[in-house]
Amino acid sequence: MRTIEARQIILRAGDVVDAADVEALDAFGLRRRRLTWPLIIQAILLVLLITAVVATYLLRTAPEFWDEPRWPSLLVLITLSFLIVTRLLIPGRSLLPFALPIAGMSMLLALLLDLRLALVITACTALIIGYLSNGALEMIMYFLLGGFVGAFVLGRGERLGLFAWSGVAVSLTNLAVFFLFRWPTGALDFTNFAQLAIVALGNGVLSVSVTGIGLALLSSVFGITTSFQLME
């Protein structure tokens, strides 16, 4: 663990930045972007653009989606809930954002609405996360692939065992992304790998837990009968 003393210089101009430097900058919030009007306008335009893409997708592929008010309401509720948590956790942190159960959002949407819609929302969420993390490709691929794999493995959730397998699949996918991005740079020693493995496993467990709890609550509130409930 690196110790930073008072008034110690973390980086100088021209220094080569390694993983320890990035973690130190994140710990002190030095990589956070200052909020300015151009950035605010940029964020608003990004959200509007992504919203337009999703709305156009639904109009072209599932126009009946808008006939039932509870479907748009459910989509907005799930998506906004995860985006708010994402906005709070991502800026200025190192490993904590990787615990975000975005795969849980993907699986919830696949179970309650539609698999294809879940994949589209997952991709859009990964892009937003990339924007919030200053274009961190590792983070984009982490949440994109984890969400896709979780939704694919769980499917319609016809069997209880699929929930466990989806959690395992998400954890392994997360760990694979960590390995692919960090091993070639030499920033993956035993201690770092153990920390990343814990985060990857925790993300898979948390994603499945969020899916199960969300499924029970939202299906009851919105009056939705799922494939899993039909088996009971």
Side-chain angles (χ1 to χ4, degrees), residues 56-134:
T56 303
Y57 167 80
L58 289 170
L59 287 172
R60 296 290 295 175
T61 63
E64 67 280 0
F65 178 85
W66 306 100
D67 296 336
E68 178 62 59
R70 60 178 173 170
W71 303 135
S73 301
L74 179 60
L75 175 62
V76 171
L77 175 62
I78 294 175
T79 306
L80 278 184
S81 298
F82 279 89
L83 287 179
I84 290 172
V85 176
T86 297
R87 178 63 183 86
L88 294 175
L89 290 183
I90 281 188
R93 293 173 173 85
S94 54
L95 286 180
L96 186 59
F98 290 101
L100 281 168
I102 298 300
M105 179 195 71
S106 307
M107 292 186 283
L108 261 181
L109 291 172
L111 289 172
L112 294 173
L113 293 173
D114 177 72
L115 175 59
R116 293 176 299 174
L117 177 60
L119 300 180
V120 171
I121 297 297
T122 300
C124 292
T125 303
L127 292 176
I128 293 175
I129 290 174
Y131 170 77
L132 293 174
S133 60
N134 297 324

Side-chain angles (χ1 to χ4, degrees), residues 14-28:
D15 286 349
V16 177
V17 181
D18 57 21
D21 294 326
V22 173
E23 291 186 7
L25 293 173
D26 286 339
F28 287 97

Side-chain angles (χ1 to χ4, degrees), residues 62-231:
E64 67 280 0
F65 178 85
W66 306 100
D67 296 336
E68 178 62 59
R70 60 178 173 170
W71 303 135
S73 301
L74 179 60
L75 175 62
V76 171
L77 175 62
I78 294 175
T79 306
L80 278 184
S81 298
F82 279 89
L83 287 179
I84 290 172
V85 176
T86 297
R87 178 63 183 86
L88 294 175
L89 290 183
I90 281 188
R93 293 173 173 85
S94 54
L95 286 180
L96 186 59
F98 290 101
L100 281 168
I102 298 300
M105 179 195 71
S106 307
M107 292 186 283
L108 261 181
L109 291 172
L111 289 172
L112 294 173
L113 293 173
D114 177 72
L115 175 59
R116 293 176 299 174
L117 177 60
L119 300 180
V120 171
I121 297 297
T122 300
C124 292
T125 303
L127 292 176
I128 293 175
I129 290 174
Y131 170 77
L132 293 174
S133 60
N134 297 324
L137 182 59
E138 178 190 34
M139 195 169 287
I140 295 173
M141 298 305 295
Y142 180 91
F143 291 114
L144 180 68
L145 296 180
F148 277 19
V149 168
F152 284 143
V153 174
L154 183 58
R156 300 303 301 173
E158 292 90 352
R159 300 191 306 275
L160 183 61
L162 288 174
F163 285 82
W165 281 115
S166 63
V168 172
V170 170
S171 297
L172 292 177
T173 302
N174 293 341
L175 194 58
V177 172
F178 279 142
F179 182 79
L180 289 173
F181 276 87
R182 303 198 180 205
W183 174 68
T185 65
L188 196 64
D189 55 26
F190 178 79
T191 302
N192 287 335
F193 183 79
Q195 293 175 340
L196 296 175
I198 292 173
V199 173
L201 176 61
N203 181 274
V205 173
L206 185 58
S207 294
V208 172
S209 301
V210 167
T211 302
I213 295 172
L215 181 64
L217 291 176
L218 295 175
S219 61
S220 175
V221 171
F222 286 87
I224 301 172
T225 302
T226 64
S227 300
F228 182 72
Q229 292 171 321
L230 291 175
M231 294 188 306

